[in-house]
Amino acid sequence: MSGMREWYESKVAEVLIDQATLQRRVVELGEQITADYEGLPLTVVVVMQGALFFAADLVRAVDAPLKMIPIQASSYHGGKASRGSVVLSGIDDFSLSDLVDRHVVLVDDVLDTGRTLRRLIDYFTCEIQVASIGVAVLLRKPTRREAGFEVDLRYCGFDVADEFVVGYGLDYQGEYRNLPFIAVLNQEVTK
Ligand code: IMP
Ligand code: MG
């Protein structure tokens, strides 16, 4: 553990959301999902890789049967700015057919411009006949939504300012996902 501490201390400017706060909030969201989907066939769709840890904790806080499938959405090439169109991949035909008539909770790490989630919502509602779709994100950046990419969130962990953050699944150039908290990096790291 001390190795990991040395490794991040020189890079992290500020811990924005600590581990205990994350866990408490994720449990609350899980309880909401349990209540909202009682008795309904539920599938949690996880937007990889960023939402991996959030989703893993979230589903363990849901006290009901559910299925879980991953999907990949890429618009984002390891830098700091989201850009371009969003390409979906990694979901097989069997998983797709299994989604018909199921209630879907789509789980992503960050709602930033809204492009990624808008693309996913359109895909699941237009191309697969899911029974319903609700969106859960760990973090919402309130100032960055682009026109035409509005997203209604059913579950939101935290509102954060428009700063680049890492940890608890979120990366900068593939690293920092395994920090157990949400942190802001030093500007020297991200410039
Ligand atoms: P959007 O399509 O612009 O809403 O971007 C959402 C995606 O950009 C998220 O799923 C993340 O993968 C990535 N992203 C946005 N902000 C951050 C951040 O602060 N840290 C790490 N990834 C981010
Ligand atoms: Mg993402």
Side-chain angles (χ1 to χ4, degrees), residues 101-132:
D101 294 334
R102 292 187 67 88
H103 295 265
V104 169
V105 171
L106 194 56
V107 181
D108 203 1
D109 53 1
V110 186
L111 175 61
D112 189 8
T113 63
R115 283 173 181 269
T116 305
L117 279 167
R118 197 61 257 163
R119 172 83 175 90
L120 283 157
I121 294 163
D122 292 346
Y123 176 71
F124 284 111
T125 49
C126 301
E127 291 176 48
I128 305 161
Q129 306 309 304
V130 296
S132 73

Side-chain angles (χ1 to χ4, degrees), residues 124-164:
F124 284 111
T125 49
C126 301
E127 291 176 48
I128 305 161
Q129 306 309 304
V130 296
S132 73
I133 184 149
V135 180
V137 297
L138 180 66
L139 306 177
R140 170 170 54 190
K141 292 188 175 175
T143 55
R144 294 251 306 165
R145 220 76 63 249
E146 289 180 4
F149 298 98
E150 289 82 9
V151 174
D152 281 331
L153 294 181
R154 197 172 290 169
Y155 311 99
C156 176
F158 304 89
D159 280 312
V160 293
D162 183 17
E163 283 183 297
F164 194 80

Side-chain angles (χ1 to χ4, degrees), residues 47-51 73 76 108-110 116 171 177:
V47 185
M48 301 295 278
Q49 335 266 349
Y76 195 76
D108 203 1
D109 53 1
V110 186
T116 305
D171 73 305
R177 293 193 199 275

Side-chain angles (χ1 to χ4, degrees), residues 20-136:
T21 308
L22 282 171
Q23 293 304 320
R24 267 198 307 275
R25 184 70 186 126
V26 172
V27 166
E28 285 174 1
L29 296 178
E31 287 168 352
Q32 282 180 33
I33 291 173
T34 306
D36 292 350
Y37 291 89
E38 198 191 342
L40 298 174
L42 174 62
T43 299
V44 172
V45 176
V46 185
V47 185
M48 301 295 278
Q49 335 266 349
L52 175 61
F53 302 159
F54 171 43
D57 286 339
L58 185 65
V59 294
R60 284 178 289 179
V62 174
D63 188 12
L66 56 78
K67 296 184 181 181
M68 207 176 170
I69 58 171
I71 192 166
Q72 229 101 36
S74 44
S75 64
Y76 195 76
H77 304 285
K80 286 198 296 177
S82 308
R83 59 187 171 266
S85 61
V86 176
V87 179
L88 305 183
S89 62
I91 186 165
D92 57 75
D93 290 345
F94 175 76
S95 304
L96 283 183
S97 60
D98 202 41
L99 279 172
V100 175
D101 294 334
R102 292 187 67 88
H103 295 265
V104 169
V105 171
L106 194 56
V107 181
D108 203 1
D109 53 1
V110 186
L111 175 61
D112 189 8
T113 63
R115 283 173 181 269
T116 305
L117 279 167
R118 197 61 257 163
R119 172 83 175 90
L120 283 157
I121 294 163
D122 292 346
Y123 176 71
F124 284 111
T125 49
C126 301
E127 291 176 48
I128 305 161
Q129 306 309 304
V130 296
S132 73
I133 184 149
V135 180

Side-chain angles (χ1 to χ4, degrees), residues 149-189:
F149 298 98
E150 289 82 9
V151 174
D152 281 331
L153 294 181
R154 197 172 290 169
Y155 311 99
C156 176
F158 304 89
D159 280 312
V160 293
D162 183 17
E163 283 183 297
F164 194 80
V165 294
V166 296
Y168 195 55
L170 281 78
D171 73 305
Y172 175 64
Q173 296 184 343
E175 292 189 327
Y176 306 100
R177 293 193 199 275
N178 60 328
L179 293 178
F181 44 72
I182 299 287
V184 182
L185 290 176
N186 280 326
Q187 281 181 352
E188 297 84 75
V189 179

